[in-house]
Amino acid sequence: MRLRTLLALLGVLLCHVGSDGQQSSAGERPNIVVILADDLGYSDLGCYGGEIETPNLDQLAAEGLRFTQCYNTARCWPTRAALLTGYYAQQVHRDALPRLGGGGGGQRQSWARLLPDFLRPHGYRSYHSGKWHIDGDVLTAGFDRSLNIRNQGNYFTAQGNALDDVPLTAPPDEAGYYATIATVDHAIQCLQHHAADHADQPFFQYIAFTAPHFPLHALPADIARYADKYLDGWDELRRQRFAKQQSLGLLRTPLSAVERDLGPPYDFADALRKLGPGEVNRPRAWDELTAQQQAFQAAKMSIHAAMVDRMDREIGRLLQQLKTMGAYDDTLILFASDNGASAEIMVRDGGHDPAAAPGSAATYLCLGPGFSSASNTPFRRHKTWVHEGGISTPLIVHWPAGIAARGELRTTPAHVIDVVPTILDLLEVEKPDHWEGEAIPPAPGRSLAPAFASDVVVERDALWWLHEGNRAVRLGDWKLVAAKGKPWELYDLRTDRAEAHNLATQLPDQAAKLEAQWNRQLAEFSSLAAKTATNSQRPRNASANRP
């Protein structure tokens, strides 16, 4: 659907008045802001059922749309590749395929351009602030300015980060440094520079927070707002969040059962010794924990909440800058998460000092499977798995000048591969079919623009996942999913997004149909990736960025 058609359907006037009273043309191409959180659970935001204070994101949802069935790839780097290319990460060597390699060190093919390369010929300037975790440098990928938060092991230092792809050799005074604040400081500086020197051009801004990815580091004042809030435990928190989700009308599903024997996806046995007797690596029933364990786990969730709270506060500063520029109404804003909340437990980088205040720079804490289960309410499992808990993301879409709906839900299945085609469709930008003489293969994403106007289903063949042996395919409302080394499970997502009732043995023909679809797409992606198999190998100077 082209922009002219969309605007006609929505009844948007050719000229509109912005929230600051300035007049702008609705016929001009909008600015675009894509905000990506890291390891945020489906229910962490207030508007998706959470108790964490997220008034700015909640307001964007109230003024725009919430998609209830949007997906990512279950992991940091493949989601970023899919988000900015419009391809599944396996197609562009950014996640592994059997016998072909690929992953965090894989290099994209020359035709696998990022969104800024397609926007630049149409007058857009592009800015990046935050985590990168994509192969290659940022500016060579089409961005005009960048703050690359490469230090993902300590939120309180800028050591290791890069500005416009140049390493920071003399970081600024770090007495008050915090990565989430620094990310938005840079984003605002880019907007101010744009308003001063490029006001006649539209912009694309990509803001990729590291929060709330581990280590759980937060400002003391932010942690204090959630002190003792989670002492009732993860089981009660799941019940409370699910009840709120039901009142919001978000989902039709039962609440999944907690998998008490399912721990972190990777076993770091020494981490439990370093973290002390308060740590547990299974989501046991809360009343089975010792008082020390309950206090330790509740403190971790308080820090996680503080990180999400701070991210929302910083988003509020960004929104105020857009309003100051007179750009708020005619900026398309998308917010999502790169994967579900994480069950990981580990200690790395600077290690963990058990005597230090939880959440401070000397500590290294991870959320773990207990409160991760609550963050992913009502779904099963966590980051890295491709059950719903690992791949479901909030998707908030806000564009007052282009979307008439306010506070509505959209139930069509969606995926981060849809972001690029959606933006190009809305801007009436034709993606080239060749790049430097090389054919650009068809991309699997679909434009979500029709769903901006009304709650319609965006038609597609299927949605597909593979990550570290975990695999899934969704065809209509049917989903086939399997953990690594485990048999296929079949679910009817119309009534069972929680994946509670496995129908594989009852409906073997349906399961076989979906398995055939998964295998077809695996073969197609493998055939494409095999043409440039050397790109899938980790280069010797691969980025030190880690998930």
Side-chain angles (χ1 to χ4, degrees), residues 64-89:
L65 305 173
R66 280 170 295 163
F67 282 71
T68 63
Q69 298 195 81
C70 187
Y71 293 109
N72 49 48
T73 72
R75 201 64 175 276
C76 312
W77 67 88
T79 288
R80 284 160 171 74
L83 178 77
L84 291 181
T85 66
Y87 291 89
Y88 288 106

Side-chain angles (χ1 to χ4, degrees), residues 142-457:
F143 288 88
D144 295 286
R145 296 186 64 179
S146 166
L147 171 65
N148 188 346
I149 304 289
R150 299 173 66 183
N151 184 336
Q152 294 160 33
N154 188 342
Y155 280 74
F156 297 104
T157 178
Q159 293 286 348
N161 295 343
L163 188 64
D164 294 336
D165 291 330
V166 178
L168 292 174
T169 55
D173 177 22
E174 295 184 342
Y177 179 90
Y178 185 64
T180 303
I181 296 174
T183 296
V184 174
D185 281 346
H186 180 263
I188 289 175
Q189 291 167 10
C190 290
L191 290 177
Q192 291 171 336
H193 167 76
H194 186 93
D197 298 341
H198 305 284
D200 59 335
Q201 294 178 255
F203 60 82
F204 166 55
Q205 187 166 54
Y206 173 47
I207 303 170
F209 289 103
T210 52
H213 190 290
F214 60 83
L216 298 179
H217 282 172
L219 301 173
D222 293 345
I223 298 173
R225 281 193 284 272
Y226 296 91
D228 300 331
K229 190 172 184 65
Y230 297 103
L231 288 173
D232 288 339
W234 44 64
D235 296 322
E236 178 59 25
L237 183 61
R238 292 181 81 242
R239 284 192 286 269
Q240 292 174 0
R241 288 191 174 189
F242 183 59
K244 184 176 178 181
Q245 289 174 330
Q246 289 180 306
S247 70
L248 293 171
L250 282 173
L251 302 159
R252 291 187 302 167
T253 184
L255 177 63
S256 65
V258 175
E259 296 178 86
R260 302 292 186 189
D261 294 327
L262 183 70
Y266 316 107
D267 183 22
F268 295 99
D270 62 332
L272 293 179
R273 175 182 56 80
K274 295 175 182 177
L275 292 166
E279 188 59 278
V280 292
N281 64 358
R282 293 293 186 274
R284 292 155 47 193
W286 188 255
D287 58 8
E288 293 179 3
L289 304 184
T290 67
Q292 182 178 17
Q293 289 171 334
Q294 289 180 346
F296 187 83
Q297 298 301 315
K300 291 199 302 177
M301 184 62 196
S302 295
I303 303 166
H304 176 87
M307 297 171 79
V308 176
D309 181 306
R310 174 52 56 183
M311 178 180 66
D312 183 83
R313 290 169 184 264
E314 298 309 306
I315 289 172
R317 288 203 300 130
L318 178 83
L319 299 180
Q320 184 55 54
Q321 175 61 34
L322 291 173
K323 292 175 182 177
T324 299
M325 296 167 59
Y328 181 76
D329 283 354
D330 207 20
T331 296
L332 171 65
I333 300 174
L334 307 175
F335 174 90
S337 178
D338 65 352
N339 44 250
S342 173
E344 293 160 291
I345 293 178
M346 63 184 72
V347 176
R348 61 189 191 194
D349 297 297
H352 174 71
D353 180 359
S360 64
T363 61
Y364 202 99
L365 303 172
C366 301
L367 190 58
F371 277 112
S372 176
S373 295
S375 287
N376 294 328
T377 302
F379 304 131
R380 285 177 58 199
R381 304 212 168 184
H382 322 265
K383 170 185 174 181
T384 76
W385 282 280
V386 296
H387 288 74
E388 294 290 286
I391 59 176
S392 295
T393 173
L395 175 61
I396 298 172
V397 180
H398 180 273
W399 182 22
I403 298 176
R406 298 290 183 269
E408 294 185 7
L409 302 178
R410 295 294 183 258
T411 58
T412 185
H415 193 286
V416 292
I417 58 172
D418 300 329
V419 169
V420 168
T422 299
I423 290 172
L424 296 183
D425 184 21
L426 291 173
L427 302 184
E428 298 186 292
V429 168
E430 291 290 343
K431 182 179 174 182
D433 56 13
H434 283 76
W435 185 270
E436 296 180 348
E438 188 172 2
I440 298 178
R446 296 291 181 266
S447 173
L448 300 177
F452 290 1
S454 61
D455 189 19
V456 297
V457 174

